[in-house]
Amino acid sequence: MKQQAWHVLPWLDVTKILDVHPGKGLSLREVNRRLAEIGQNVLSEKKGVHPVFLFLGQFKDFMVMVLLAATIVSGLLGEIADAVTIMAILIINAILGFVQEYRAERSMESLRSLTAPEARVMREGIESRIPAAELVPGDIVILEAGDRIPADMRFIQAVNLEVEESALTGESHPVGKTMAPLMDELMPMADRRNMGYMGTVVVNGRGAGVIVSTGMDTEMGVIAGMIQSVEDEETPLQKRLAQLGKWLVILSIAVCIVVVVTGVLRGEGFYKMFFAGVSLAVAAIPEGLPAIVTVALAIGVQRMVQRQAIIRKLPAVETLGCATVICSDKTGTLTQNEMTVRQIYTGGKFVTVSGQGYDPKGEFRGADPTQEREPLRETLRISALCNNSTLTKKGVRVAGLFRSNAAQEAPWGIDGDPTEGALLVAAAKAGIWREVLERKEERLDEIPFDSDRKRMSVIYKGKQGKRAFVKGAPDTVLKLCRRELTANGVAELTSERRREILQANDKMARMALRVLAMAEKPLDERTALALHNVENDLIFVGLAGMIDPPRASARKAIQVCRQAGIKAVMITGDHRLTAEAVAGELGILRDRHAGVLTGAELDQMSDEELTEQVMDVSVYARVTPKDKLRIVRAFKKRGQVVAMTGDGVNDAPAVKEADIGVSMGKTGTDVTKEASAMVLGDDNFATIVAAVEEGRAIYDNIRKFIRYLLSCNLGEVLTMFLATLVGLPLPLLPIQILWVNLVTDGLPAMALGVEGAEPDIMDRPPRAPGERIFARGLARKIGIRGTLIGLGTLTVFVAALFLGVNMLVARTMAFSTLVFSQLFHVFDCKSEERGIFEVGLLSNPFLVIAVSISTLMQLCAIYLPPMQAVFKTAPLVGWQWGIVLAVAGGPSFLIGFVRLLKNAWSGKTAGAKA
């Protein structure tokens, strides 16, 4: 059907356009015709990749293809164990990648499950239930509390109808619905109070609507389309590793060619040199790197689970560690998602409501809540009595009295409207419970709230007779008042007092409080309970202002994020005043009126203008899902690494578009969880701080084992390359080179992945998004240490020959020097700033165990006769071990001593771990 601004049309005109009788509905013949023309009311699914091809696609990566070639080479060399090891690593990585991508494909399935499975529909004058997929534009759907709206509709009936739309619009409380047409054609979706949207839930009242859009034409369908349109892209870590793999392959091939050609020109046999060259190629490429990266990230995942963060995609840990911007939804993420009364204005004074009760040091003086008809008490009495919600413990309605400790310790809950629940809590803090009051007073009648009157009234009968209690919009209720309750009794409500009350209302509204007025009226026994008799000549009692308060933990988390150089941004569907107040309390917004944009203002800006201003804005209010996508994309255009937190369906496209999406585990919808890379199990914004810290620590650890692996591999290559250049016999046999790879590249490198975070990790600014893997001096450290390892190994080999030992012993000494140089070096790699004397050699037990196992394996290769035959080794004696260990460990102890002096001079050792 043609898209129109349905909310501006009278509902009768909508039914005429859609050619349907509002009382009878469509005919079955017309339904079938429209169903054939428009299609079912379902969300279409983007054509996915077959699981088989999805699995095979894991082997397309350049690094993986090189490792496949290395597997073939190892098999040709007779190293079946090495070939099997490499292939096992590739298969494990492929399975992990397949599972990650397959789960991402389920995002659309979760979105479809959120839609209503059935709907009550009027067709040919008969009411019936049908599958929601069979709805067509023009169908008349009947709704009551608890129903999920099955498609977008224009309401044609609304009786006290309220709809929970927070998952779609970001509104933190149910929205009252009406049938009346609205004036603004460009009105934001959240303000279209005569419209209902697919996936939202009716929480109060009843109504009916005519379907105007189905399937992918609904607002939820538009979101589904945006989710499909968001393309996946590589994380910074994946990009760096891809660059590293290509660089290593090119370099290793070049070196191997030089070694082979040089050896052949010197008269060595071609087969022998080719064999040595291929061995060097295998040694030069750290085939364990992808697996070690995966293990390091998996360890990070386990740590995150312990801190209430569930990682769905392994690279997410690393990506969050380099995040420069965190975009967060307000409701339930930065706030508690619980309406709370903050201030009460009564008797001409303000009363501050704290978490524990009423502040005795506040502005209000002389208030005694126990005194009958005292203004504050009466305000709270009306809050409790003119109310249909209930406080619960463990789901059981209570009246403030408990007979067991277990009941007293159970968590509180609210059964009913959140706003009314906030009023009940405010009254309960003063010891006023509706259930207790109703033991002495009986409710006779109720005039329900509706969006036209903007108020609710109840009538109670007690010892003092009948009395009406009214609550509603301040301007509406105040117009009906003629008198006011003061500390001295009931007095005339003068014009001056009316202005003061309205000023108090404005003051609370500027604080982003949602304000309700309380009034009452004594009724004569003969008074008929009708609107014109009850809701007039009222006595004004007080105002109650409430807000969804910020989380205390979120305030601290944002402070830590600022300290860590991360920009926190609030993106919400709520009103500007509310967003400004919450952002101000949290510390996101330093200046209440600076750095704030609304959805309407965003609509007037081009993408280029938004990109130019995005770094200066910290709060976005009244936004749509499309706006959220634009904001995230604008940050990314500015070179930022963006994290987006969210819980509702409306957040899903932006969550998926962000470099890392973070969803809420408790309140988050399934579609948002599936689109996200990380789920917060406790819905606590503070958990993101832990994620940032863990992400930074994991990236540091990845740099540590890259430093270790490449230094060791460089040492191996230089040993062979320099020996060939100067005309020496080969100091290592090809089988020995492969053994060194196996002994030193596996367990010690993996053990580096469980290193704890550096003490100052959250005092650093985020690393630059475009930072290369070898930045901050890593390439220099790798080059220097790799050269020392290569020269040391070659020096021991030459010295052994000079001292008159045979070639077998000389090669064994060089072989052992190369292995133990790397095992000493792994302790250097525990920190980029501190040396071997500062890092604490026993602080990482996994590393100690890994080095011990590698040492044992090397000793077996030297002293066990069967392995001596395979690796061409000979037992070493004491003085030979002295030379080996001195050369292997000397650089580590020397560099460690220099760093100790340097850090002691600069005072850095104060925070070092022993």
Side-chain angles (χ1 to χ4, degrees):
M1 302 297 290
K2 182 180 178 182
Q3 294 294 324
Q4 297 197 34
W6 301 106
H7 59 282
V8 302
L9 300 175
W11 68 265
L12 199 55
D13 290 353
V14 174
T15 60
K16 290 179 180 178
I17 294 173
L18 294 172
D19 193 20
V20 59
H21 190 287
K24 296 182 179 180
L26 296 171
S27 66
L28 295 180
R29 182 177 180 179
E30 179 63 17
V31 167
N32 292 330
R33 187 191 70 80
R34 296 188 184 187
L35 199 58
E37 176 185 343
I38 300 171
Q40 287 195 320
N41 177 39
V42 295
L43 301 178
S44 65
E45 183 176 6
K46 184 179 179 181
K47 188 175 181 179
V49 182
H50 192 278
V52 173
F53 295 107
L54 197 63
F55 178 75
L56 294 177
Q58 307 302 315
F59 296 92
K60 291 181 179 179
D61 183 75
F62 181 72
M63 188 75 166
V64 172
M65 288 189 288
V66 171
L67 294 178
L68 284 173
T71 304
I72 296 173
V73 170
S74 296
L76 293 176
L77 291 175
E79 294 303 314
I80 304 301
D82 203 48
V84 170
T85 300
I86 298 173
M87 183 56 69
I89 290 171
L90 291 178
I91 292 175
I92 291 172
N93 280 338
I95 292 173
L96 289 174
F98 167 77
V99 172
Q100 302 289 327
E101 293 188 25
Y102 184 75
R103 288 194 66 186
E105 294 292 326
R106 293 175 50 208
S107 183
M108 291 305 301
E109 296 178 13
S110 294
L111 188 57
R112 285 199 304 276
S113 69
L114 190 63
T115 59
E118 287 188 336
R120 289 174 59 199
V121 65
M122 180 70 71
R123 288 178 176 173
E124 295 184 339
I126 300 174
E127 180 183 324
S128 61
R129 284 192 173 272
I130 64 168
E134 297 178 5
L135 288 172
V136 296
D139 262 326
I140 304 298
V141 174
I142 302 167
L143 300 168
E144 60 184 16
D147 288 345
R148 191 181 296 275
I149 295 180
D152 289 2
M153 63 175 60
R154 170 68 163 83
F155 290 115
I156 63 174
Q157 183 186 38
V159 181
N160 302 325
L161 187 64
E162 292 185 334
V163 178
E164 171 60 58
E165 296 181 338
S166 62
L168 191 63
T169 67
E171 286 282 1
S172 58
H173 50 79
V175 179
K177 294 299 183 178
T178 180
M179 300 178 293
L182 304 173
M183 301 300 294
D184 187 359
E185 187 170 328
L186 301 178
M187 180 175 289
M189 181 171 57
D191 293 331
R192 299 173 191 172
R193 300 182 62 192
N194 56 14
M195 298 291 294
Y197 298 104
M198 174 189 278
T200 59
V201 180
V202 178
V203 295
N204 191 34
R206 56 186 176 83
V210 56
I211 300 297
V212 296
S213 299
T214 58
M216 295 300 288
D217 292 330
T218 63
E219 293 292 343
M220 186 173 288
V222 173
I223 293 175
M226 286 190 286
I227 293 176
Q228 291 180 349
S229 68
V230 175
E231 297 294 331
D232 295 326
E233 59 182 72
E234 290 184 322
T235 67
L237 176 62
Q238 292 170 322
K239 294 174 183 177
R240 304 298 178 270
L241 290 178
Q243 293 173 358
L244 177 62
K246 294 176 183 178
W247 180 83
L248 287 175
V249 170
I250 295 172
L251 183 61
S252 63
I253 291 175
V255 171
C256 292
I257 291 174
V258 171
V259 169
V260 173
V261 172
T262 302
V264 171
L265 291 178
R266 286 180 42 246
E268 298 281 357
F270 177 79
Y271 177 77
K272 178 182 179 181
M273 292 311 302
F274 176 78
F275 194 70
V278 171
S279 298
L280 269 182
V282 174
I285 301 173
E287 64 270 13
L289 182 59
I292 295 171
V293 169
T294 300
V295 169
L297 291 172
I299 291 170
V301 168
Q302 294 172 3
R303 290 177 176 173
M304 295 300 294
V305 169
Q306 295 174 357
R307 303 174 81 169
Q308 295 297 315
I310 298 95
I311 303 298
R312 296 187 61 254
K313 302 174 184 177
L314 286 179
V317 182
E318 177 272 334
T319 311
L320 187 60
C322 68
T324 57
V325 177
I326 297 178
C327 297
S328 174
D329 186 40
K330 177 187 72 68
T331 303
T333 308
L334 293 169
T335 65
Q336 300 174 20
N337 200 22
E338 296 177 356
M339 295 297 289
T340 303
V341 175
R342 281 284 185 86
Q343 275 198 335
I344 292 176
Y345 177 81
T346 184
K349 302 288 185 179
F350 281 100
V351 181
T352 299
V353 185
S354 68
Q356 301 299 321
Y358 297 85
D359 185 2
K361 297 182 180 179
E363 297 180 39
F364 193 82
R365 295 285 188 266
D368 181 5
T370 63
Q371 182 182 338
E372 190 72 23
R373 301 277 294 147
E374 188 273 327
L376 175 58
R377 175 178 174 78
E378 196 65 14
T379 301
L380 297 174
R381 266 172 41 86
I382 296 173
S383 298
L385 292 173
C386 191
N387 198 312
N388 287 324
S389 292
T390 308
L391 295 182
T392 64
K393 277 208 171 190
K394 286 188 176 181
V396 179
R397 299 186 176 196
V398 297
L401 301 175
F402 308 99
R403 297 185 181 277
S404 69
N405 293 331
Q408 293 177 3
E409 295 173 359
W412 284 100
I414 294 172
D415 183 8
D417 181 78
T419 300
E420 290 193 337
L423 294 173
L424 281 181
V425 172
K429 288 177 180 178
I432 298 173
W433 298 80
R434 183 179 68 237
E435 292 83 355
V436 174
L437 294 175
E438 287 181 342
R439 295 172 186 172
K440 299 179 180 179
E441 300 182 60
E442 177 189 2
R443 180 184 286 200
L444 300 178
D445 204 351
E446 173 186 342
I447 305 173
F449 175 91
D450 66 59
S451 55
D452 295 326
R453 291 169 41 251
K454 297 182 180 181
R455 59 186 177 272
M456 167 188 177
S457 299
V458 293
I459 294 93
Y460 274 83
K461 182 178 181 180
K463 292 182 179 179
Q464 298 179 355
K466 291 192 296 185
R467 185 175 293 269
F469 300 115
V470 181
K471 78 168 188 290
D475 54 344
T476 302
V477 172
L478 195 60
K479 290 178 182 177
L480 302 174
C481 295
R482 297 292 178 269
R483 292 172 292 170
E484 175 188 12
L485 180 64
T486 71
N488 299 319
V490 178
E492 181 183 357
L493 185 61
T494 64
S495 299
E496 182 179 355
R497 280 294 297 140
R498 287 181 185 274
R499 285 195 299 270
E500 291 176 356
I501 294 170
L502 290 174
Q503 288 172 359
N505 177 53
D506 291 342
K507 179 181 178 181
M508 296 167 80
R510 285 194 297 271
M511 297 167 61
L513 299 180
R514 185 184 184 195
V515 186
L516 291 177
M518 309 295 166
E520 63 182 8
K521 178 183 179 180
L523 300 175
D524 188 273
E525 289 292 334
R526 294 169 295 178
T527 302
L529 301 182
L531 271 177
H532 65 277
N533 290 328
V534 174
E535 295 181 341
N536 61 44
D537 196 22
L538 301 178
I539 300 171
F540 175 80
V541 179
L543 302 174
M546 61 202 77
I547 195 172
D548 184 8
R551 291 177 181 263
S553 57
R555 186 181 298 110
K556 182 178 179 181
I558 288 169
Q559 181 180 355
V560 175
C561 285
R562 181 178 292 109
Q563 178 181 331
I566 299 170
K567 180 179 177 65
V569 178
M570 177 192 289
I571 303 179
T572 178
D574 264 344
H575 292 278
R576 177 171 186 150
L577 279 177
T578 304
E580 286 180 348
V582 173
E585 284 198 43
L586 288 169
I588 293 177
L589 201 62
R590 299 293 183 87
D591 185 337
R592 177 63 65 90
H593 302 293
V596 182
L597 281 179
T598 64
E601 292 168 332
L602 282 175
D603 290 340
Q604 305 302 316
M605 300 172 65
S606 66
D607 288 343
E608 291 73 19
E609 290 173 331
L610 177 58
T611 301
E612 183 179 348
Q613 297 184 32
V614 71
M615 294 303 296
D616 299 322
V617 180
S618 298
V619 177
Y620 296 87
R622 220 65 178 147
V623 297
T624 65
K626 183 179 178 182
D627 293 328
K628 295 185 178 186
L629 270 177
R630 289 184 64 200
I631 294 165
V632 171
R633 287 170 175 167
F635 275 120
K636 293 176 74 172
K637 287 179 182 178
R638 292 291 295 269
Q640 303 298 309
V641 177
V642 186
M644 169 69 188
T645 68
D647 53 4
V649 175
N650 61 319
D651 296 324
V655 164
K656 187 173 183 181
E657 173 69 18
D659 294 291
I660 176 168
V662 184
S663 63
M664 303 297 112
K666 291 183 178 179
T667 59
T669 56
D670 286 344
V671 64
T672 310
K673 293 176 186 176
E674 290 293 336
S676 67
M678 183 174 80
V679 180
L680 302 183
D682 56 0
D683 287 12
N684 194 339
F685 186 85
T687 305
I688 297 175
V689 177
V692 171
E693 179 181 350
E694 200 61 52
R696 292 185 177 190
I698 290 299
Y699 190 79
D700 280 358
N701 288 347
I702 290 172
R703 281 174 56 91
K704 290 172 185 176
F705 57 66
I706 287 176
R707 172 188 172 190
Y708 170 70
L709 287 176
L710 297 191
S711 297
C712 297
N713 288 2
L714 178 60
E716 296 166 17
V717 171
L718 285 179
T719 299
M720 301 294 288
F721 180 65
L722 294 177
T724 304
L725 286 182
V726 300
L728 291 172
L730 292 179
L732 296 171
L733 297 175
I735 191 66
Q736 292 175 339
I737 295 175
L738 295 176
W739 176 256
V740 172
N741 246 24
L742 183 63
V743 169
T744 62
D745 284 6
L747 292 177
M750 287 188 179
L752 282 174
V754 298
E755 278 291 317
E758 297 279 344
D760 64 342
I761 196 165
M762 291 305 288
D763 294 328
R764 314 173 194 163
R767 64 182 182 276
E771 177 183 285
R772 295 183 179 276
I773 197 71
F774 296 111
R776 292 179 276 152
L778 185 60
R780 174 178 54 80
K781 293 174 183 175
I782 291 172
I784 292 175
R785 195 51 186 269
T787 301
L788 289 175
I789 291 173
L791 290 176
T793 303
L794 203 57
T795 299
V796 169
F797 178 67
V798 172
L801 293 175
F802 180 77
L803 293 173
V805 302
N806 60 42
M807 183 62 69
L808 193 64
V809 174
R811 280 188 173 141
T812 303
M813 290 178 67
F815 182 30
S816 298
T817 301
L818 185 60
V819 169
F820 285 102
S821 293
Q822 297 179 18
L823 295 182
F824 276 113
H825 179 47
V826 74
F827 290 99
D828 292 329
C829 296
K830 284 166 63 71
S831 174
E832 293 193 37
E833 300 296 331
R834 296 176 292 152
I836 197 170
F837 296 110
E838 303 167 87
V839 294
L841 297 180
L842 303 179
S843 62
N844 184 350
F846 297 102
L847 184 59
V848 175
I849 294 172
V851 170
S852 299
I853 292 174
S854 296
T855 300
L856 182 61
M857 290 174 66
Q858 179 63 15
L859 293 176
C860 289
I862 295 174
Y863 289 103
L864 291 181
M867 298 187 72
Q868 288 176 350
V870 173
F871 293 103
K872 306 298 187 291
T873 59
L876 300 180
V877 296
W879 68 269
Q880 293 166 346
W881 275 116
I883 293 175
V884 168
L885 295 178
V887 174
S892 294
F893 289 105
L894 179 61
I895 293 173
F897 183 69
V898 171
R899 283 190 175 179
L900 179 64
L901 293 177
K902 178 183 176 183
N903 291 337
W905 180 262
S906 61
K908 290 185 178 181
T909 56
K913 291 182 180 179

